[in-house]
């Protein structure tokens, strides 16, 4: 599978932004699509995940109620809608596929390139 993330940029605190991840070459081993992020000097962390077929969603506690993951299977795209953004959301955001539910990078199967999100205070 190939993953291509886009949609990052600069936004003020309290603002919104939507990231997209275009999926190609989907296989039966890519049951879940996930978003991770990595801030400078920190480890890459799980943000949200969605089961491709059923649409079941999971979120990290730090983004619950503010971020929404979704997918449009007709255009093979996964989205991350980010609202009420905070400066601590500043990071490079990555999409990743996995065969099952994951909460760390070790379970990821494929990675897209990152897209920078910067939230100014």
């Amino acid at each position: 599978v190939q993953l291509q993330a886009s949609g990052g940029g600069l936004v003020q605190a309290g603002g919104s932004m939507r990231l997209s991840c275009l999926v190609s070459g989907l296989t039966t081993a890519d049951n879940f699509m996930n978003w991770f992020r990595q801030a400078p000097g920190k480890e890459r962390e799980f943000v949200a995940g969605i089961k491709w077929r059923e649409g079941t969603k999971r979120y990290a506690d730090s983004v619950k109620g503010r971020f929404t993951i979704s997918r449009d299977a007709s255009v093979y795209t996964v989205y991350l809608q980010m609202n009420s953004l905070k400066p601590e959301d500043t990071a490079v955001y990555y999409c990743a596929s996995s065969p099952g539910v994951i909460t760390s990078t070790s379970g990821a199967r494929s990675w897209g390139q990152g897209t920078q999100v910067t939230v100014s205070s």
Side-chain angles (χ1 to χ4, degrees), residues 16-110:
S16 298
M17 182 177 289
R18 189 178 79 162
L19 305 181
S20 301
C21 179
L22 180 63
V23 181
S24 60
L26 197 65
T27 74
T28 55
D30 305 300
N31 294 316
F32 291 79
M33 293 297 163
N34 309 276
W35 285 98
F36 284 76
R37 66 186 181 187
Q38 187 166 19
K42 295 188 176 181
E43 292 188 351
R44 195 170 296 187
E45 64 174 3
F46 172 82
V47 175
I50 187 167
K51 195 169 185 180
W52 185 257
R53 285 181 175 270
E54 291 84 358
T56 310
K57 305 172 185 181
R58 296 176 60 250
Y59 298 94
D61 288 343
S62 59
V63 305
K64 278 182 182 176
R66 299 189 299 123
F67 290 12
T68 301
I69 189 171
S70 62
R71 89 282 188 238
D72 186 339
S74 67
V75 292
Y76 291 93
T77 302
V78 179
Y79 302 100
L80 185 67
Q81 177 67 44
M82 305 183 293
N83 299 327
S84 303
L85 282 161
K86 305 175 182 179
E88 49 264 43
D89 295 317
T90 295
V92 178
Y93 284 71
Y94 298 88
C95 53
S97 69
S98 62
V101 173
I102 60 173
T103 56
S104 70
T105 60
S106 61
R109 181 171 179 267
S110 297

